[in-house]
Amino acid sequence: MNDSTHPENPGQQLMARLDEAAQYSLPGDGVTRLFCSEEHRQVLTLIGDWMRQAGLTPELDASGNLVGRNARALAGERTLILGSHQDTVVEGGKYDGMLGVALPLQALQALKDEGVELAYGVEVVAFGDEEGTRFQSTLIGSRALAGSFDPASLEARDADGVSLGEALSRFGGAPERIPQLARRRESLIGYVEVHIEQGPVLEQRDRAVGVVSALTGIERHRLSVAGKAGHAGTTPMPGRRDALVGAARMVLEADRVLNATDDFVGVIGKLEVRPNAVNVIPAEVNFTLELRSPDPDVRARGREEIVAACRRIAADGELELSCETTYQAEAVACAEWLIEALEGACLNCGEPAERLFSGAGHDGLAMHDVTDIGMLFVRCRDGLSHHPDEAISAEDADRATRVLMRFLGDLDPDRRA
């Protein structure tokens, strides 16, 4: 993964842009850029400049997406949508999401500089929210374009009590007009996203890029364990109804099931303890459970086993347990014709065409509802993501940009499998 140093190398230009975008972050390690934040507003100014340099006209839509369109898209011709999300997790990396915004704009600018005019409409979308970090409601922008946006999500509130609808209005969006953003299937060619792999497969195979075959199914749950508070020094250990002890046993049981099941991963990523005092027995614990698998049956069986174990633990500890599903998205397959087109672009650029499955969810999960989807992965160091040390090389950035340029130049908008 040695970096190329040619001054005209698109990968070097792309890396410089990604470094610049990473400056729009809350203070602290890595990049923290939340939906409808001041950092979000600032980075959209930068992305808008990139769009204009690529020959696109930028516009903030009603759901907080920044959409750049070429002349053919503005004229209503059938359109290929490219893009990814600009938001991050807390203390995330520079490349998750933003690579899929900056790279297609770099590719389009390079094609423009070479005098190549694409014979179809193109939109590049910097989706407002995919991670769900601020409002715990993911895929807001892509669901708006896909026509599957749930107006009830506008009532979701952040840690300061600000609702999604309020934040979006202050940002310059228009919650009441989100339904009008839904694209018509017949107006679209497809949706293609470039993303870091967020896994080790390409690095293990020594490949710069890979072609995604499908996106994982994801579900999220919120479990609440209720016990009884008491004085930590005067209450005997036997008979305590300690909600945190019960929750800890549930976490371990979930981990056991996940480790014992093939093609099944998950995490308990957030715990809230009440009253959260040094000398009080915990009365209540709320925790999240996220489960992922490409196979819905595997995911369902695993979920049932985990929840059944949690109920047994609760009963043994005289605790009350409730479980609420907060998010669910089934696995979706990428379109074979787009897979083959991306593979062809790889081979024509001298890159081996590797197919692999995405263990993470992406905006394609929503866009699949309205059009065919395709996805190109880029190798990342140690497979690391959602971390300040997330990294790609300028050489791989260059190779991926050239693959996308070839894909765009060769694309037949009338082709279908």
Side-chain angles (χ1 to χ4, degrees), residues 45 49 76 118 149 221 241 257 265 291 293-294 308 328 340 394 406:
T45 299
D49 290 341
L118 300 177
F149 178 79
H221 308 275
R241 295 169 59 198
V257 174
V265 297
L291 305 173
S293 175
Q328 186 162 346
E340 292 175 357
R406 187 62 183 257

Side-chain angles (χ1 to χ4, degrees), residues 53-119:
Q53 292 173 52
L56 308 182
T57 301
E59 177 187 12
L60 182 70
D61 76 10
S63 70
N65 299 323
L66 188 67
V67 183
R69 297 177 175 88
N70 71 356
R72 290 181 181 272
L74 288 169
E77 296 188 28
R78 289 181 66 236
T79 295
L80 175 73
I81 300 180
L82 304 159
S84 191
H85 58 98
Q86 64 72 41
D87 66 313
T88 72
V89 297
V90 175
E91 297 186 355
K94 297 178 183 179
Y95 308 104
D96 176 9
M98 188 56 76
L99 178 68
V101 177
L103 190 149
L105 291 172
Q106 187 75 52
L108 288 166
Q109 182 175 337
L111 289 170
K112 175 173 167 280
D113 292 345
E114 292 177 4
V116 176
E117 182 179 349
L118 300 177

Side-chain angles (χ1 to χ4, degrees), residues 118-147:
L118 300 177
Y120 49 88
V122 172
E123 291 185 14
V124 177
V125 182
F127 288 111
D129 178 82
E130 187 263 1
E131 297 291 2
T133 304
R134 181 176 179 185
F135 294 102
Q136 310 299 306
S137 180
T138 62
L139 304 176
I140 291 169
S142 46
R143 289 193 189 282
L145 299 195

Side-chain angles (χ1 to χ4, degrees), residues 240-258:
R240 288 189 180 191
R241 295 169 59 198
D242 189 322
L244 182 56
V245 170
R249 290 172 177 161
M250 294 174 192
V251 170
L252 291 173
E253 187 63 17
D255 186 68
R256 182 195 66 77
V257 174
L258 287 160

Side-chain angles (χ1 to χ4, degrees), residues 36 102 133 135 137 143 153-154 163-164 167 202 224 237 245 263 297 303 325 375 386 389 399:
C36 291
T133 304
F135 294 102
S137 180
R143 289 193 189 282
S153 64
L154 294 169
S163 75
L164 170 57
L202 292 175
S224 296
M237 296 301 295
V245 170
D263 296 324
D297 293 334
R303 177 210 319 130
T325 300
M375 194 163 197
H386 286 191
D389 293 340
R399 292 159 75 175

Side-chain angles (χ1 to χ4, degrees), residues 35-372:
F35 182 45
C36 291
S37 65
E38 184 58 29
E39 294 75 28
H40 181 188
R41 187 185 305 280
Q42 292 169 345
V43 84
L44 290 193
T45 299
L46 178 66
I47 296 170
D49 290 341
W50 298 346
M51 288 177 171
R52 282 182 281 270
Q53 292 173 52
L56 308 182
T57 301
E59 177 187 12
L60 182 70
D61 76 10
S63 70
N65 299 323
L66 188 67
V67 183
R69 297 177 175 88
N70 71 356
R72 290 181 181 272
L74 288 169
E77 296 188 28
R78 289 181 66 236
T79 295
L80 175 73
I81 300 180
L82 304 159
S84 191
H85 58 98
Q86 64 72 41
D87 66 313
T88 72
V89 297
V90 175
E91 297 186 355
K94 297 178 183 179
Y95 308 104
D96 176 9
M98 188 56 76
L99 178 68
V101 177
L103 190 149
L105 291 172
Q106 187 75 52
L108 288 166
Q109 182 175 337
L111 289 170
K112 175 173 167 280
D113 292 345
E114 292 177 4
V116 176
E117 182 179 349
L118 300 177
Y120 49 88
V122 172
E123 291 185 14
V124 177
V125 182
F127 288 111
D129 178 82
E130 187 263 1
E131 297 291 2
T133 304
R134 181 176 179 185
F135 294 102
Q136 310 299 306
S137 180
T138 62
L139 304 176
I140 291 169
S142 46
R143 289 193 189 282
L145 299 195
S148 58
F149 178 79
D150 181 3
S153 64
L154 294 169
E155 302 303 318
R157 295 187 180 273
D158 66 10
D160 296 321
V162 178
S163 75
L164 170 57
E166 292 166 348
L168 192 53
S169 295
R170 294 171 190 171
F171 192 71
E176 71 282 358
R177 291 198 289 109
I178 289 177
Q180 300 171 27
L181 299 178
R183 302 296 198 262
R184 294 177 295 107
R185 180 175 292 273
E186 60 271 20
S187 72
L188 299 180
I189 297 167
Y191 169 74
V192 173
E193 182 170 358
V194 181
H195 206 283
I196 58 170
E197 181 195 350
Q198 302 179 284
V201 176
L202 292 175
E203 191 171 61
Q204 291 169 354
R205 297 177 182 174
D206 193 22
R207 301 289 188 250
V209 295
V211 180
V212 177
S213 58
L215 310 182
T216 193
I218 304 172
E219 58 185 66
R220 291 173 182 160
H221 308 275
R222 180 179 175 87
L223 284 79
S224 296
V225 184
K228 186 174 182 178
H231 194 296
T234 62
T235 307
M237 296 301 295
R240 288 189 180 191
R241 295 169 59 198
D242 189 322
L244 182 56
V245 170
R249 290 172 177 161
M250 294 174 192
V251 170
L252 291 173
E253 187 63 17
D255 186 68
R256 182 195 66 77
V257 174
L258 287 160
N259 275 286
T261 309
D262 292 336
D263 296 324
F264 190 40
V265 297
V267 67
I268 288 85
K270 185 177 181 180
L271 290 97
E272 301 165 342
V273 181
R274 190 178 63 84
N276 205 30
V278 66
N279 60 349
V280 180
I281 298 166
E284 183 179 9
V285 175
N286 298 308
F287 65 93
T288 60
L289 172 65
E290 182 184 86
L291 305 173
R292 301 183 183 222
S293 175
D295 187 329
D297 293 334
V298 168
R299 207 169 66 247
R301 287 194 299 270
R303 177 210 319 130
E304 290 168 2
E305 185 175 354
I306 291 170
V307 172
C310 290
R311 295 198 186 284
R312 289 194 300 272
I313 292 167
D316 291 345
E318 298 184 30
L319 305 169
E320 296 178 6
L321 176 69
S322 64
C323 182
E324 174 191 9
T325 300
T326 59
Y327 175 79
Q328 186 162 346
E330 292 304 324
V332 300
C334 294
E336 186 65 26
W337 76 274
L338 283 171
I339 292 173
E340 292 175 357
L342 286 166
E343 286 177 332
C346 289
L347 294 173
N348 287 329
C349 290
E351 303 291 342
E354 298 274 355
R355 291 194 186 192
L356 65 165
F357 184 84
S358 173
H362 302 282
D363 287 293
L365 287 172
M367 294 302 293
H368 181 264
D369 289 342
V370 73
T371 193
D372 291 345

Side-chain angles (χ1 to χ4, degrees), residues 18-38:
L18 291 164
D19 286 344
E20 186 176 7
Q23 297 176 28
Y24 299 105
S25 167
L26 288 172
D29 293 339
V31 182
T32 302
R33 187 169 50 246
L34 307 183
F35 182 45
C36 291
S37 65
E38 184 58 29

